[in-house]
Amino acid sequence: DALTDWFFCQKLRDFVDQWLLKIAHGCARLKNDPGICDLVRLAAEGWLAQQEFNDIDHSLTERRQELLGKIEDGLHAKRTAIQYIDWLVTTVRTLHMSSCIS
């Protein structure tokens, strides 16, 4: 349903604008942080571009190319963010588990 999609997209944009760009900006960062806030923002923009791409008139080739670029950038950002978060979680868990075993 278009209204539900619009509402979800609006809430996602609000989240990115309010939380990621304003609140999380002041959080401490690890030295190896790949720019997680920017990566999540790009991933969200890629997801939104995919939603628009699914609904766009495909004869609009210039807009399609622009959306495809955003989708590709978003997918790359998503993979990078997931890899970093996986690394972070497994590192923290390993450190925590080793302290429990001692």
Side-chain angles (χ1 to χ4, degrees), residues 1-11 47-48 51 55:
D1 158 87
L3 182 59
T4 304
D5 287 346
W6 173 85
F7 181 78
F8 178 77
C9 290
Q10 189 61 44
K11 289 297 178 186
W47 184 85
L48 291 170
Q51 302 312 302
D55 296 334

Side-chain angles (χ1 to χ4, degrees), residues 12 23 30 37-38 41-42 52 59 61 74 77 80-81 84-85:
L12 183 60
I23 296 170
L30 297 176
C37 291
D38 291 334
R41 181 185 49 76
L42 282 172
E52 183 180 341
S59 65
T61 56
T80 304
Y84 179 69
I85 292 166

Side-chain angles (χ1 to χ4, degrees), residues 94-102:
T94 303
L95 291 173
H96 177 69
M97 294 303 289
S98 64
S99 67
C100 291
I101 295 170
S102 303

Side-chain angles (χ1 to χ4, degrees), residues 5-6 8-10 12-13 16 40-58 60-78:
D5 287 346
W6 173 85
F8 178 77
C9 290
Q10 189 61 44
L12 183 60
R13 283 187 185 113
V16 169
V40 172
R41 181 185 49 76
L42 282 172
E45 288 174 1
W47 184 85
L48 291 170
Q50 180 68 57
Q51 302 312 302
E52 183 180 341
F53 183 82
N54 293 342
D55 296 334
I56 196 170
D57 176 2
H58 289 285
L60 302 172
T61 56
E62 187 175 314
R63 181 66 180 150
R64 280 187 67 210
Q65 288 304 110
E66 180 184 338
L67 291 172
L68 286 172
K70 286 184 176 187
I71 292 167
E72 185 176 322
D73 291 345
L75 290 173
H76 176 71
K78 177 182 172 183

